[in-house]
Amino acid sequence: MMRLDTAAGLLGKGKLADELCVRAPTLNFKINGDRGASVSNITDVAAARESRGARLLAHARKLREAIQ
């Protein structure tokens, strides 16, 4: 599934597999479409991306504050 592949590229396959509570080979099967990704898999990936996004934004704010 293309979107899982994108998430794996952004988060790293190890982190994504951890978020989905699967091993890396199982994640590869899901990415390749050999095994289906469930709604909960997609929801978990979205939550992981949102969490990381929030941390990145918080860090960016701290960097901006440091130069003011």
Side-chain angles (χ1 to χ4, degrees), residues 36-58:
S38 68
V39 171
S40 67
N41 289 155
I42 302 303
T43 302
D44 291 345
V45 170
R49 294 295 307 135
E50 289 166 348
S51 172
R52 183 168 180 157
R55 290 191 311 266
L56 287 171
L57 287 173

Side-chain angles (χ1 to χ4, degrees), residues 12 18 24-25 28 30 34 39-40 52 65:
D18 289 345
N28 289 330
K30 288 179 181 290
D34 297 334
V39 171
S40 67
R52 183 168 180 157
E65 289 170 2

Side-chain angles (χ1 to χ4, degrees), residues 2-61:
M2 181 60 147
R3 289 174 177 85
L4 282 180
D5 189 32
T6 301
L10 294 169
L11 282 172
K13 281 189 177 181
K15 176 70 174 163
L16 182 58
D18 289 345
E19 291 291 332
L20 295 176
C21 299
V22 298
R23 294 181 308 119
T26 301
L27 177 61
N28 289 330
F29 285 130
K30 288 179 181 290
I31 289 172
N32 294 332
D34 297 334
R35 291 195 187 148
S38 68
V39 171
S40 67
N41 289 155
I42 302 303
T43 302
D44 291 345
V45 170
R49 294 295 307 135
E50 289 166 348
S51 172
R52 183 168 180 157
R55 290 191 311 266
L56 287 171
L57 287 173
H59 181 68
R61 280 191 291 274

